[in-house]
Amino acid sequence: MSLRKVTLATAAAKLGVREEGSNSGEAVKIFQNAAGIKPGQPWCAAFVNWAAEQGAKQLGVLSPLEKVPLQGLVQSYVDYGIEHEWVVAYSNVLPGDLFCLFDVGLKRYAHIG
């Protein structure tokens, strides 16, 4: 099985995980710890990182996200993706590709999935 499929299955197994309060909870803390961020911080990027790490561990390979600096920060994935030519046209998106949403108020990308 491919890393993409294993990672998707790992992420899908966490469907229904909810925060307890704001950006907190036992499951959320696991994701935050994997990305090296403190409890209470937004966790979407941490979850993406965690799922990729878990998929890679199952296959005995390195996660392609391993070298993304600041693994809990969405903008870091955008910058790394641009630098490494990972950005693809919407018409070429495959299951397992990441998406990022721009926050006009923050003037940066602030959500990933």
Side-chain angles (χ1 to χ4, degrees):
M1 189 177 283
S2 72
L3 176 57
R4 182 181 295 264
K5 287 183 180 180
V6 172
T7 299
L8 279 171
T10 300
K14 294 300 178 185
L15 283 173
V17 167
R18 300 276 187 263
E19 297 174 349
E20 298 167 22
S22 179
N23 294 316
S24 61
E26 290 309 309
V28 172
K29 285 180 188 175
I30 292 169
F31 309 143
Q32 292 165 326
N33 285 339
I37 60 174
K38 295 178 182 177
Q41 296 295 311
W43 56 280
C44 58
F47 177 73
V48 164
N49 176 65
W50 175 86
E53 281 183 354
Q54 296 304 305
K57 283 180 187 177
Q58 287 180 45
L59 297 175
V61 299
L62 286 177
S63 165
L65 304 180
E66 185 74 24
K67 293 186 180 183
V68 173
L70 302 174
Q71 293 176 337
L73 180 66
V74 174
Q75 187 65 51
S76 189
Y77 289 83
V78 173
D79 296 342
Y80 191 85
I82 291 169
E83 181 183 335
H84 291 86
E85 299 179 354
W86 287 0
V87 178
V88 298
Y90 180 76
S91 58
N92 294 331
V93 171
L94 299 171
D97 284 347
L98 301 176
F99 69 89
C100 298
L101 302 177
F102 190 82
D103 185 303
V104 176
L106 295 175
K107 298 180 182 174
R108 65 174 173 83
Y109 286 89
H111 185 66
I112 190 169

